[in-house]
Amino acid sequence: MFASLRNSIPRQFSRAYSTAPAGGKNGNGVLWASLATGAVLVGAYYYTRSKEGQDSPLTGANSSQPVTKALDPKKFVPFKLLESSPINHDTTHYRFALEHNQELGLDITSCFVVKAKIGNDEKPTIRPYTPVSPQDARGYFDLVIKRYPNGKMSNHIHSLAPGDVLEIKGPIPKYPYKAGALKEVGMIAGGSGITPMLQLIQHVLEDPSDNTKLTLVFANKSEDDIILRSQLDSFAKNHPEQFKLHYIVDKASSGDWKGDTGYVTKELVQKYMPAAGTEGILVGVCGPPPMMSLISGPKAPDYSQGEVSGILKDLGYTKEQVFKF
C-alpha cells in the first residue's frame, strides 16, 4: 500500500541542516519553540494523491454526505492507528482512522499536538506534529515519524500497534496566510523544518487564483538527507515562474551536485530571499534551535514570535517581515 511513499522518500533520515552544530533542550514547553526537537516529525508531505475527488479506499467515504472536522482545539481526542509501514531503519509511516466523511480539520500553516503518558512519568509528554496526508483527505490521516534515541514521543509512537490510540489536540494556528495578501514568500528550512514550508507551498501552488511568488532555501547536512526531494523538484519543474528552489548541503558527496555548499550565510540569504526593502514580502524560518538563532533569532520565552535578530536583522528585515515556525 505504501510503495509510492517508500519510493518518494530518501533512505537516509538522520538529523540534517547546514548551520551551526545542533543544540536545544527537552521538555513539553519546547513544543511551541520549534519542530526540530527529539520528538519532531521528520516527514514526507502529501506522500501521494489518489485521483481527484476519490477518498481513501480504507474508508469508502461518500462525498455526498456532510463533511465534519475531527480535531478539537479545546481538548485531546483519541485517534486509532489503522496500520503502519516501515520506511527505513528508524522511520515509519502511520495511518490513523477518521470517520467515513470526516476530515482532520487542520488549517494551512498550523499543526497539532500529541499527548501521551510515557513510562513512569508523572506528567504526560506533549509534542507538535504536522500530518503528511492531504488537507482534504477523508477517513484517515497520515504521519511519518523518525525515531530518535532520546525522543520520548517518537519512541512511544514507534511502539504503537494497530488498534492503539494517540491523543491529539488542534489545530494550533501559526501564520494566518491569505491568498494574495503577499507578493512573495521566502522560506529557509533546515532538515525536518521543511514540513510547514511544504504545507504552504502545496497550498499556494494548488490554488490557481494565488499568484504569490515562493522561494525556498532548504539546508541539509548531505544530499542523502534531503527529504522530499522528488516532490520539491516536481513543484519547481511544474511551477518554474512561481516557485524557486535552492538546496544547500554542508559538503557535496558527488561531483554532480548543482546546489550550494557550506552553510546558510548572510550572502546566501541576500542572494535568494526577497529584499527587506520590498513591500508585501515575508521570510519564514523553520529548523533546529541553532539555525533559528543564527538566521532569525529564537522565539520569545512565552513562545511568541519575539524580536528578529541574527542574519535577518543584520539585513534589515523587520518583525512584520519574518515568521518563525
Side-chain angles (χ1 to χ4, degrees), residues 55-132:
D55 297 298
S56 167
L58 295 175
T59 63
N62 185 342
S63 60
S64 65
Q65 297 177 3
V67 177
T68 60
K69 307 297 184 183
L71 287 174
D72 189 326
K74 297 182 179 179
K75 66 179 181 181
F76 284 90
V77 178
F79 292 93
K80 183 181 294 186
L81 177 64
L82 286 173
E83 55 187 337
S84 63
S85 178
I87 295 172
N88 61 18
H89 68 285
D90 64 2
T91 305
T92 300
H93 173 276
Y94 297 89
R95 173 157 290 186
F96 290 85
L98 302 178
E99 297 296 330
H100 289 342
N101 269 67
Q102 194 173 52
E103 295 177 358
L104 186 59
L106 195 71
D107 302 322
I108 290 301
T109 64
S110 64
C111 66
F112 57 56
V113 290
V114 172
K115 180 179 73 172
K117 186 76 179 298
I118 300 174
N120 296 321
D121 291 352
E122 294 184 2
K123 296 182 179 180
T125 297
I126 299 176
R127 295 290 187 270
Y129 290 94
T130 302
V132 301

Side-chain angles (χ1 to χ4, degrees), residues 20-324:
K25 61 183 181 180
N26 295 324
N28 291 345
V30 78
L31 69 91
W32 305 109
S34 174
L35 293 182
T37 64
V40 73
L41 164 68
V42 173
Y45 181 78
Y46 295 174
Y47 74 94
T48 185
R49 277 186 178 271
S50 55
K51 294 180 180 179
E52 289 298 324
Q54 291 185 349
D55 297 298
S56 167
L58 295 175
T59 63
N62 185 342
S63 60
S64 65
Q65 297 177 3
V67 177
T68 60
K69 307 297 184 183
L71 287 174
D72 189 326
K74 297 182 179 179
K75 66 179 181 181
F76 284 90
V77 178
F79 292 93
K80 183 181 294 186
L81 177 64
L82 286 173
E83 55 187 337
S84 63
S85 178
I87 295 172
N88 61 18
H89 68 285
D90 64 2
T91 305
T92 300
H93 173 276
Y94 297 89
R95 173 157 290 186
F96 290 85
L98 302 178
E99 297 296 330
H100 289 342
N101 269 67
Q102 194 173 52
E103 295 177 358
L104 186 59
L106 195 71
D107 302 322
I108 290 301
T109 64
S110 64
C111 66
F112 57 56
V113 290
V114 172
K115 180 179 73 172
K117 186 76 179 298
I118 300 174
N120 296 321
D121 291 352
E122 294 184 2
K123 296 182 179 180
T125 297
I126 299 176
R127 295 290 187 270
Y129 290 94
T130 302
V132 301
S133 43
Q135 185 187 14
D136 57 356
R138 298 184 190 180
Y140 73 98
F141 70 91
D142 298 327
L143 291 174
V144 174
I145 307 293
K146 175 183 172 65
R147 178 172 55 195
Y148 290 87
N150 298 318
K152 283 187 176 182
M153 186 61 75
S154 65
N155 278 279
H156 171 72
I157 295 176
H158 272 252
S159 73
L160 297 179
D164 291 341
V165 298
L166 196 62
E167 291 188 86
I168 297 174
K169 182 172 71 173
I172 308 300
K174 291 193 174 184
Y175 182 79
Y177 180 82
K178 293 182 180 180
L182 298 167
K183 294 180 180 179
E184 184 174 358
V185 176
M187 293 163 280
I188 304 172
S192 58
I194 190 63
T195 308
M197 309 306 189
L198 282 167
Q199 189 185 56
L200 178 60
I201 292 167
Q202 176 96 8
H203 179 73
V204 172
L205 297 182
E206 285 190 344
D207 183 354
S209 68
D210 194 342
N211 297 315
T212 305
K213 301 292 185 182
L214 304 172
T215 301
L216 171 66
V217 170
F218 188 18
N220 287 274
K221 184 177 180 181
S222 70
E223 296 174 59
D224 290 335
D225 293 312
I226 302 174
I227 60 177
L228 302 170
R229 188 172 181 178
S230 62
Q231 286 91 333
L232 290 168
D233 289 344
S234 178
F235 291 151
K237 179 180 179 180
N238 294 330
H239 304 271
E241 299 301 320
Q242 190 174 8
F243 176 49
K244 304 298 183 183
L245 172 62
H246 307 283
Y247 297 113
I248 177 170
V249 297
D250 288 2
K251 184 177 181 180
S253 57
S254 71
D256 296 330
W257 176 247
K258 294 181 175 59
D260 290 279
T261 56
Y263 302 99
V264 177
T265 62
K266 182 184 296 185
E267 291 73 24
L268 187 140
V269 173
Q270 284 180 306
K271 182 178 180 180
Y272 294 128
M273 292 293 101
T278 307
E279 293 185 1
I281 64 101
L282 180 77
V283 175
V285 187
C286 188
M291 175 181 174
M292 300 293 291
S293 296
L294 175 68
I295 296 173
S296 63
K299 290 186 177 181
D302 63 355
Y303 308 115
S304 62
Q305 286 291 295
E307 297 300 320
V308 176
S309 61
I311 290 174
L312 294 182
K313 180 181 179 181
D314 292 343
L315 292 175
Y317 291 90
T318 66
K319 184 177 180 180
E320 291 72 29
Q321 293 177 315
V322 176
F323 189 83
K324 306 168 188 177

